[in-house]
Amino acid sequence: MSGPLLQLMRRKIEAEGPIRFDEWWQTCLYHPGHGYYATRVPIGADFVTAPEISQVFGELLGLALVQCWLDQGGPRPARLAEIGPGKGTLMADAWRALAVVPDARDALAPVALVEISAALRSFQANRLRGLPVEWHDALEQVAADRPLYLIANELFDALPIRQLVHLSGHWFERRVGISGSGHLGLVLETRPSPLGQIMPDCPNGAIHEISPAREAMATAIGRRLAACGGAALLIDYGDAYEGPTGDTVQAVRGQRKVHDPFDLPGEIDLTSRVDFAPLIRAFAATGCRTAGPVPQGEFLGRLGIELRTEALARGLDEDRASDLWSRTRRLVDPNRMGRTFKVLGVAAPGQALPPGLVDETGPADQGEAEAHR
Ligand code: SAH
């Protein structure tokens, strides 16, 4: 196989030596001409996300942000925003749900969509025709003139990571190089990485993933909330890990796992479990408050997903009602997406957090993260 990205990376490695894992990832997914997200609409084809499973997901998230806006005193003007809107489904459902709260749509429009993929932008433009939405390349380009109520679902898991391996008391960073047989594959740096000093007592062979890109995204969100007010709901698969994360990279093509992704740059989706711990630290450094991560099933339960499903099911025939219920179960069941996926709430310093995050009855269940998608 010799796609354009494979040739491009091969030439770069031949000229400059092995490239960093996050550079390889960034090129695979986001190369402007040939990257996975630049050339296709993968959601639904290679993987399925919560808003594509049920309209109830986007409705409840939209209403949770509106509740938070009200709890923060209903400032106006304010702005609804989403980073990485995918097919636009979540925002379409959230916007429809907002109609039940008087004045919310007026106060929160125009909606800011931050999206780097041209292919997804044009899909979103079709899907959201008639809605007051505006696109931006980065959060920094959204005018910093009003509080922001922001959603991001499965954004962080798609941002590039770096991997370190613990050997003989030192951490060595993984890179992508060319192996003896001429294929692209993982190689280890020969010198220990200074990045590994944070976690000294780990078993030999332990792997830890870090992500400056995810932390930078959290810092950008935190800074904006601290400067302008507002809140964010961030949903992703992962947890707040205490020790090393392990190797959690998932390469997927056509809803199947790919075991050797290195020959297929641009053809595969890449994600890894989100370690919420460094993101929480990044938010704290901006002065923002956080709550969670809370399992998605518990969060949606507290927001009333059962009642909403019941209300919708009442208007449907038996088959469609049972389909709707099975979709709700897929989102909340701890053995499906309900526990693997977590919700982190963020609020501007001193302001109310979004609803549904604090367990009134006891500490949130921090179950083991399971297989995703
Ligand atoms: N939220 C959607 C899509 C998830 S896929 C859903 O739940 O279905 C990840 C999305 O994030 C895609 O839309 C991708 O193009 C976008 N994305 C990735 N990196 C980004 C970045 N740095 N800034 C903005 N969007 C980004």
Side-chain angles (χ1 to χ4, degrees), residues 30 37 43 47 49-52 82-87 90 114-117 120 124 137 152-155 158-159 217 373:
Y30 306 114
Y37 278 107
I43 303 143
F47 58 89
T49 55
E52 305 302 326
E82 183 175 4
I83 310 182
K87 288 172 122 175
L90 195 161
V114 179
E115 175 59 68
I116 51 169
S117 153
L120 285 177
Q124 291 155 16
D137 294 325
N153 184 59
E154 292 214 48
L155 167 70
L159 299 180
M217 181 65 82
R373 289 171 175 166

Side-chain angles (χ1 to χ4, degrees), residues 223-241:
R223 282 197 182 136
R224 177 53 64 94
L225 295 181
C228 299
L233 281 170
L234 310 174
I235 305 102
D236 252 299
Y237 82 112
D239 223 324
Y241 297 98

Side-chain angles (χ1 to χ4, degrees), residues 9-341:
M9 288 202 261
R10 187 180 282 281
R11 257 184 265 127
K12 177 149 195 210
I13 294 168
E14 278 164 0
E16 298 169 22
I19 57 176
R20 252 169 51 181
F21 193 75
D22 55 351
E23 182 184 344
W24 173 78
W25 176 307
Q26 182 73 23
T27 309
C28 284
L29 292 193
Y30 306 114
H31 182 279
H34 307 292
Y36 178 76
Y37 278 107
T39 54
R40 71 199 75 209
V41 176
I43 303 143
D46 283 358
F47 58 89
V48 180
T49 55
E52 305 302 326
I53 292 171
S54 175
Q55 69 180 77
V56 177
F57 186 79
E59 290 172 350
L60 291 177
L61 282 170
L63 289 176
L65 279 185
V66 168
Q67 182 62 55
C68 184
W69 169 68
L70 291 171
D71 292 344
Q72 293 189 352
R76 53 176 60 221
R79 195 192 309 275
L80 192 61
E82 183 175 4
I83 310 182
K87 288 172 122 175
T89 309
L90 195 161
M91 190 48 77
D93 293 334
W95 187 254
R96 197 179 52 251
L98 251 58
V100 304
V101 181
D103 302 335
R105 282 178 165 185
D106 284 345
L108 290 162
V111 176
L113 301 178
V114 179
E115 175 59 68
I116 51 169
S117 153
L120 285 177
R121 265 190 197 206
S122 64
F123 196 96
Q124 291 155 16
N126 261 321
R127 183 78 177 76
L128 300 172
R129 202 172 293 274
L131 268 61
V133 293
E134 293 171 355
W135 282 268
H136 307 270
D137 294 325
L139 183 57
E140 287 82 352
Q141 290 172 10
V142 179
D145 58 355
R146 57 192 76 178
L148 204 63
Y149 295 86
L150 182 141
I151 309 179
N153 184 59
E154 292 214 48
L155 167 70
F156 286 86
D157 69 7
L159 299 180
I161 61 157
R162 297 164 70 172
Q163 283 190 330
L164 303 166
V165 186
H166 198 237
L167 294 171
S168 319
H170 296 287
W171 289 94
F172 295 88
E173 183 157 7
R174 279 181 162 171
R175 285 181 173 253
V176 177
I178 299 176
S179 70
S181 59
H183 287 280
L184 258 59
L186 290 171
V187 296
L188 269 194
E189 277 184 355
T190 47
R191 290 212 218 148
S193 163
L195 292 168
Q197 283 163 5
I198 19 156
M199 228 184 259
D201 302 319
C202 288
N204 218 35
I207 295 175
H208 186 55
E209 295 173 346
I210 58 166
S211 178
R214 292 176 185 173
E215 288 170 41
M217 181 65 82
T219 300
I221 295 171
R223 282 197 182 136
R224 177 53 64 94
L225 295 181
C228 299
L233 281 170
L234 310 174
I235 305 102
D236 252 299
Y237 82 112
D239 223 324
Y241 297 98
E242 278 168 19
T245 57
D247 175 358
T248 78
V249 174
Q250 291 213 44
V252 171
R253 187 190 203 188
Q255 306 204 9
R256 277 168 194 238
K257 282 192 190 181
V258 176
H259 291 292
D260 185 3
F262 296 103
D263 282 336
L264 296 165
E267 302 289 316
I268 39 148
D269 178 44
L270 294 168
T271 59
S272 86
R273 281 187 204 163
V274 172
D275 184 357
F276 286 95
L279 304 186
I280 290 169
R281 287 194 292 272
F283 284 119
T286 67
C288 284
R289 315 170 60 198
T290 60
V294 177
Q296 172 176 295
E298 291 177 21
F299 173 73
L300 294 174
R302 290 187 201 120
L303 293 182
I305 192 168
E306 301 273 324
L307 282 176
R308 178 63 189 144
T309 308
E310 226 168 82
L312 276 176
R314 242 176 265 136
L316 301 175
D317 65 38
E318 209 175 304
D319 284 354
R320 293 181 63 199
S322 103
D323 178 58
L324 185 73
W325 274 110
S326 81
R327 289 165 182 270
T328 285
R329 280 195 299 276
R330 183 165 170 195
L331 295 177
V332 301
D333 186 336
N335 297 315
R336 318 250 335 247
M337 294 173 81
R339 189 160 58 201
T340 308
F341 282 80

